[in-house]
Amino acid sequence: MANLFSFIHSPPPGKGIDKTTKKKRKIFSYTEIYFQKFWKLLQLNFIFILFSIPIVTIGPALSATSYIMKNFVTHNSVFLFHDFLQSFKQNFKKSFVISIFSLVIHLLLYISLSFYGQNMQSNKIIIIPYLFILLSSIIFIFMNYYIHIMIISVDLKIITIIKNSFLLAFLCIKSNIFISILIGIIIYIHLLIAPFSIFLFFIIGFITIQYIINCNAYFHIEKYIIKKD
């Protein structure tokens, strides 16, 4: 495992960086990379759409997208279509299984929230399970921030990926909340100028959100999982 991820710890060309500079770089470098790779992100978005068949391949496509973004932020060379396709094929089974699991859980949470929400007026005690399901939904959203990039970053069993995602949902709670607010602002801005923004969202909005999610998630996965390995 150490050999597999040794490139993560290799410093970029040029002057060495101390710990203080590294902390500052984590805040600003992702934005810099975003603009440097802007056109490649647009291409990546197109490839993602091309490979995303609802339910069947959207999970593997998300994992392949995460793989490309991880290489962007770790300054590794990327052959966009080739690397996307390779990651798509290599992680297909694991990504597909987890995406089906995620879909089922999302549906169950949605049905539960709808049921308890509709019956709260007639029975106030129902607010307790409603709030529990609502909290569970938020935690599960946070878990999904980490799942696909963990698939392509570390060689773990599906159950371990789910367990680690659950732990990171709590361990990185402040960061997860901040990222969720940022994503909410992006979506809200698109809604303000809808329907004109619908096309814009599929061109750049979605991939921007994925970039934000993956940068945040990979930072914590590297800190708590990869370096510990």
Side-chain angles (χ1 to χ4, degrees), residues 108-120 126 129-130:
L108 290 175
L109 289 170
Y110 174 77
I111 292 170
S112 299
L113 281 175
S114 299
F115 173 79
Y116 288 118
Q118 291 171 2
N119 290 278
M120 273 196 302
I126 287 180
Y130 177 83

Side-chain angles (χ1 to χ4, degrees), residues 146-205:
Y146 298 93
I147 285 175
H148 289 285
I149 197 162
M150 199 181 304
I151 289 173
I152 57 87
S153 298
V154 283
D155 185 18
L156 299 172
K157 294 180 179 179
I158 289 175
I159 188 64
T160 306
I161 291 172
I162 294 171
K163 182 190 73 173
N164 285 345
S165 299
F166 179 76
L167 294 173
L168 288 170
F170 287 97
L171 188 62
C172 311
I173 189 74
K174 291 181 180 180
S175 178
N176 295 332
I177 292 172
F178 175 77
I179 293 301
S180 299
I181 292 171
L182 190 57
I183 292 170
I185 291 171
I186 293 172
I187 293 173
Y188 180 71
I189 291 171
H190 279 81
L191 290 175
L192 281 179
I193 56 175
F196 306 104
S197 61
I198 294 175
F199 179 74
L200 183 63
F201 180 80
F202 283 104
I203 292 297
I204 190 60

